[in-house]
Amino acid sequence: MVRATLSFPSGFLWGAATAAHQVEGDNTNNDWWAWEQEPGRILAGHRSGKACDWWGGRWAEDFDRAAETGQNTHRLSLEWSRIEPSPAVWDDSALDAYRQMLRGALDSGLLPMVTLHHFTHPLWLAEKGAWHSDDIVASFERYTRKVVTALQDLVGFWVTINEPNVLAYGAYAGHDFPPGAGSMPKAVRALRNMALAHAASYRAIHELQPGALVGIAHHIRGFAPAKPGNLLDEQVARLRSRVFNETIPRVLTDGKFSMLGRSERLSGVAGTHDFFGLNYYTVERCSFDLTRPGQLFTRGSFPAGADLSPTGFIANEPDGLARALAWARRFGLPIYVTENGVEDPEDRLRPRYLAAHLRQVWKAVNVGNPVRGYYHWSLVDNFEWERGWTQRFGLWGLDTETQARLRRPSVDFYAEVCRANALSSEMVARYAPEALESLFPSHGPEGLDIERG
Ligand code: FCB
């Protein structure tokens, strides 16, 4: 067999990502909690409940797990509704609890990357229309200032908004996230407001903390024509990619907000990201479908024979990550993979998914793409939004009844990668032997330092 070790640059960040509502539990004062109480909103009637009980203090044991398994960073989010339970009323005890959590991360050797907004809204803000309310930009800036003032001695690595595109489509174009508006014009307005709010937040953070690194965690989904060569399929795939993938990074770069024929320069938005945060999961095939104007005339699917996750949510398409990283490089910023992972309670697919995606990250680094870190989604199974507990993305499993954590084989695989700062053929042979030949072909990829055994 061929032996090779794919080493990452020293100082590379290895971690996992989580989000407040998905792990904390008892987040009763936000729009997701309310949504979960409405029949039919969440698959199987699931609710976030205690989630992973981080608000009860179990973040400490999970940070220990992360640190003991070689991770050196953790991406987490803050719950706005805890910090500002009513307009301009601040709960300092919530900020203290986050201070403890961040101090705990640092004490365990995990550099915190902190997301200010990850899908949820305080109820008072949701009632005002959240991303449609007139003062959302000012509200987000005020919240940012409060948080950064309180936490800046512990954090200098900020994500303002997680996946504005997923939030805009899920909540405003579609029906999966609250308020389920089902209107494309509403999604466009929400996205525009997110760009403005991000920029206001970016400037506020830099004013308070000039050395901070500030960005967005941007979801790039691959879109490919279902039938290559079919002009209509190719066109809708391109259109979806332009609208979904390109709008946000472009506006943060040059200030031009272009969507569906409308183009406008947003003042103060150009040049407001210090890094490119990239969330990547899969590639979707697009077929032209005249009956779906709301989905930009597209029917999405995965090809027959795709290497699918158990609920059919994700296809294992590592080349899509390679393309996303190559595309992100044009912005000339350091890149962090801020999310990547797969739902897989039995941990059958995860090891090869992880191996194949890390190999693409390594390849990107080796052609000079400035990828500086990788955050696996997720550390422990958590509440997967409208899919409830039906999907399990954790390296560790979670028994929601007992709060017991279950060590999946991927824990040890990822630990070896993090500790060695490298992915080796030998690790893949042990954790994902079925992927060995495709990832480390016997004839050997060119340019590698290869030992033949
Ligand atoms: C991303 C979200 C994250 C999680 C993963 C599976 O879109 O940012 O909260 O739900 O998908």
Side-chain angles (χ1 to χ4, degrees):
M1 93 179 217
V2 169
R3 294 214 197 100
T5 298
L6 314 180
S7 295
F8 287 76
S10 76
F12 197 83
L13 293 183
W14 292 107
T18 54
H21 188 71
Q22 295 178 273
V23 294
E24 285 180 357
D26 290 333
N27 263 320
T28 56
N29 193 25
N30 72 24
D31 54 350
W32 266 93
W33 187 275
W35 191 247
E36 290 162 31
Q37 314 310 310
E38 293 181 20
R41 296 299 191 192
I42 313 293
L43 219 57
H46 287 166
R47 292 178 178 176
S48 55
K50 286 268 169 220
C52 310
D53 195 26
W54 276 27
W55 205 250
R58 285 185 208 264
W59 55 265
E61 52 171 283
D62 286 335
F63 287 175
D64 284 347
R65 289 186 177 90
E68 280 161 14
T69 53
Q71 298 177 33
N72 56 21
T73 183
H74 186 76
R75 175 176 170 229
L76 58 97
S77 83
L78 307 178
E79 176 57 35
W80 189 349
S81 64
R82 291 193 189 277
I83 294 170
E84 191 179 3
S86 314
V89 173
W90 308 100
D91 183 346
D92 288 331
S93 70
L95 284 165
D96 283 347
Y98 284 121
R99 286 190 64 79
Q100 274 187 37
M101 205 183 278
L102 292 166
R103 167 61 55 215
L106 288 166
D107 288 347
S108 317
L110 302 171
L111 177 83
M113 174 191 265
V114 173
T115 307
L116 293 169
H117 184 285
H118 196 126
F119 292 170
T120 58
H121 307 93
L123 275 175
W124 60 264
L125 183 62
E127 277 155 20
K128 290 201 323 189
W131 291 102
H132 284 181
S133 83
D134 292 333
D135 49 7
I136 182 70
V137 177
S139 300
F140 191 61
E141 180 181 339
R142 183 179 63 188
Y143 161 67
T144 301
R145 285 184 185 276
K146 181 74 185 178
V147 164
V148 175
T149 305
L151 306 179
Q152 60 183 325
D153 56 323
L154 302 171
V155 192
F157 202 10
W158 301 97
V159 167
T160 56
I161 305 176
N162 179 68
E163 299 186 339
N165 54 355
V166 172
L167 177 57
Y169 293 104
Y172 296 101
H175 303 275
D176 289 340
F177 290 11
S183 146
M184 193 51 111
K186 286 194 172 166
V188 174
R189 181 171 146 86
L191 206 55
R192 180 181 182 279
N193 275 338
M194 284 188 242
L196 290 167
H198 157 80
S201 173
Y202 176 92
R203 285 192 302 270
I205 298 173
H206 276 290
E207 190 190 305
L208 295 164
Q209 200 184 15
L213 284 178
V214 187
I216 265 185
H218 176 59
H219 189 115
I220 293 191
R221 188 169 174 89
F223 295 106
K227 287 191 234 77
N230 177 308
L231 282 186
L232 288 171
D233 286 4
E234 284 184 356
Q235 257 172 29
V236 287
R238 238 187 330 266
L239 176 67
R240 287 203 76 185
S241 191
R242 219 174 307 130
V243 171
F244 189 81
N245 292 331
E246 298 188 16
T247 306
I248 282 290
R250 287 197 192 286
V251 69
L252 303 195
T253 304
D254 61 13
K256 229 167 107 192
F257 184 72
S258 310
M259 255 192 103
L260 302 173
R262 153 189 185 156
S263 186
E264 175 192 2
R265 192 162 293 280
L266 299 183
S267 109
V269 179
T272 57
H273 48 166
D274 304 324
F275 63 88
F276 194 112
L278 168 60
N279 293 2
Y280 171 83
Y281 289 89
T282 198
V283 177
E284 178 182 322
R285 309 286 141 160
C286 303
S287 313
F288 175 73
D289 185 342
L290 199 54
T291 66
R292 299 176 146 235
Q295 284 77 38
L296 302 178
F297 302 103
T298 315
R299 193 161 20 88
S301 61
F302 294 126
D307 189 14
L308 286 185
S309 65
T311 70
F313 191 63
I314 288 172
N316 181 14
E317 295 269 10
D319 290 352
L321 177 58
R323 286 193 293 273
L325 288 169
W327 185 78
R329 186 179 183 175
R330 74 187 54 203
F331 296 95
L333 299 169
I335 298 173
Y336 294 87
V337 177
T338 35
E339 286 180 28
N340 171 244
V342 68
E343 44 104 9
D344 184 16
E346 305 295 331
D347 213 41
R348 293 202 182 103
L349 167 58
R350 187 176 291 102
R352 70 173 171 275
Y353 180 99
L354 181 60
H357 287 76
L358 291 182
R359 192 176 191 292
Q360 293 298 355
V361 175
W362 176 84
K363 272 172 80 175
V365 171
N366 274 272
V367 294
N369 197 336
V371 188
R372 305 271 195 260
Y374 173 89
Y375 292 81
H376 191 75
W377 186 274
S378 184
L379 184 58
V380 56
D381 286 346
N382 54 55
F383 181 73
E384 263 308 321
W385 309 113
E386 83 283 7
R387 288 150 280 125
W389 296 98
T390 65
Q391 295 184 341
R392 303 294 180 134
F393 277 84
L395 291 165
W396 270 270
L398 175 75
D399 180 333
T400 51
E401 297 290 306
T402 63
Q403 285 293 329
R405 272 63 173 162
L406 163 90
R407 192 180 187 111
R408 296 192 170 118
S410 289
V411 167
D412 296 299
F413 178 23
Y414 192 48
E416 289 195 33
V417 170
C418 299
R419 288 200 190 103
N421 197 26
L423 173 74
S424 74
S425 51
E426 193 268 328
M427 294 171 195
V428 174
R430 277 185 290 120
Y431 291 102
E434 72 284 10
L436 187 60
E437 183 54 31
S438 65
L439 299 183
F440 294 90
S442 332
H443 45 273
E446 272 151 43
L448 284 180
D449 185 14
I450 287 185
E451 281 169 43
R452 282 174 197 281

